[in-house]
Amino acid sequence: MAKGRGKRDRAVKRQYEMLPYPPRDPKDEAKRLIEGSPSHLDELNHYLFAGRRDFSRPFRALVAGGGTGDAAIMLAQHLANRGDAGQVVYLDLSTASRKIAEARARARGLTNIEFLTGSLLDLPKMDIAPFDYIDCCGVLHHLEEPEAGLGALVAVLDDGGGMGLMLYATLGRTGVYPVQNALKALGGSADTAEQVRLAKSLLKDLSPNHWLNRNRVIGDHKLGDDAALYDLLLHPRDRSYLVPELLLLLEGAAMELVSFIEPVRYDPEHYLKDKELRKRARELPDGERAALAENLSGTIKTHSFYARKVGGVAPGPAKFDPEMIPFLKDGNADVLARALAARPALTVHFDTEPAQIDIPTGAAEFVKRIDGRTSLRDMQAAMPLSWPDFRARFAPAYKMLNGLNLLWLKSG
Ligand SMILES: C[S@@+](CC[C@H](N)C(=O)[O-])C[C@H]1O[C@@H](n2cnc3c(N)ncnc32)[C@H](O)[C@@H]1O
């Protein structure tokens, strides 16, 4: 066992008992549902089940390290909206976090979540497998051996299922680890409030040139929230991943990447204008393309992605096939079509950083026709165009909008 491991294990559990993260107030459930990636039901259906999963059939999801409940609540609400065949199992070490997640479920009247307290490392002996889907966000990078954690998740994943994961990304966290190390070197305190006070004092005097102060995508320590500051700078154990390290982690667990979210951020051509450089980027294998994109972006701070078992039977991402129905994530098709028609490029923000996305010809025309019910085939027939012409005209628009995670496909 690595030296100090037991102490670090206890410190992690203590942190999330003292400061459940992310901070959530169950009263807010009356006002809004927090939705995000991964684990939005339509999104995971698109990426892992080719857009074809029938959620009126039994579907079991596990949220491992469920924290204060964001993913479990979103999944359970989405499943409840579709009927009563979907079940969510929530598992976390922290009883304080579980209490908040349970209160949120009660506030929504959700009865399709089973709440468990324990370590995800014990999943293989818990006799609750298999799961069609596993969410594990912001957890594996806090384990002593993330490989063992991922292995435990794989052991309870159905062969036809998949996972939505989030791991810290190294480049976007520039400046975080030197400050974590400085705080560790200064000795900390057994008292959480005192630790936070010392960290705030250190931050006050931190040079404006320190990478943490220059890093525009990291701001959790400026929110005025102690749980967020603690999670960023005082965590007893965290590590971050570059794309090649993440791919190795997956490979070691006999898993493979299905897609990063948002896909466009991991497309190196998005960062390159020069034709020759774009061509060279295009010729690289997928993993190297994603690694190149990460290096070109320089500011990706978390990697959110879907993965499935190597050799499993999970169908993978939906394809631009005639029978598929395109639909917008939060879709007002008219507003989006007007925005696309009005300009040659869209400015979007990834973690507050602006990015320009070229708008392909036909994007507005395509979006105008999206109503969440009409298949690509019916759109094509109404135009009228042959399928190859329709495809050639609109597949680039689909790629752009899907790349931004605005558009998914589902079967009728
Ligand atoms: C940063 S929070 C993320 C919570 C949630 N997944 C989210 O994204 O909002 C990490 C959570 O993982 C839990 N955790 C850490 N190690 C764990 C383990 N071995 N088994 C289960 N939960 C664990 C912590 O208690 C904490 O609630």
Side-chain angles (χ1 to χ4, degrees), residues 69 72-73 88-91 98 101-103 105 110 113-117:
I73 296 292
V88 178
V89 174
Y90 161 108
L91 173 71
R98 170 178 165 171
E102 282 178 313
L110 291 169
I113 311 179
E114 182 184 358
F115 288 93
L116 301 174
T117 300

Side-chain angles (χ1 to χ4, degrees), residues 239-355:
R239 60 153 300 177
S240 62
Y241 287 81
L242 291 165
V243 165
E245 295 166 330
L246 176 157
L247 295 176
L248 273 179
L249 175 71
L250 287 180
E251 194 183 316
M255 293 285 289
E256 64 187 5
L257 181 78
V258 173
S259 180
F260 284 109
I261 303 294
E262 297 85 0
V264 70
R265 299 189 81 180
Y266 293 85
D267 176 354
E269 287 177 75
H270 161 58
Y271 305 92
L272 298 167
K273 292 263 177 272
D274 183 284
K275 268 193 175 154
E276 175 59 24
L277 292 177
R278 286 170 71 100
K279 179 171 163 287
R280 290 184 188 199
R282 222 173 7 254
E283 286 164 359
L284 293 172
D286 286 350
E288 289 177 38
R289 283 169 54 77
L292 173 59
E294 177 179 40
N295 282 323
L296 291 171
S297 153
T299 56
I300 296 176
K301 65 176 181 175
T302 54
H303 296 299
S304 292
F305 55 101
Y306 288 101
R308 63 181 166 186
K309 284 185 181 180
V310 174
V313 289
K319 298 202 176 70
F320 193 84
D321 286 340
E323 72 278 14
M324 300 307 287
I325 298 171
F327 65 107
L328 293 168
K329 179 178 168 185
D330 332 279
N332 188 326
D334 288 339
V335 173
L336 181 59
R338 275 202 298 279
L340 294 171
R343 47 184 71 78
L346 265 191
T347 303
V348 294
H349 287 84
F350 296 124
D351 298 325
T352 74
E353 287 297 278

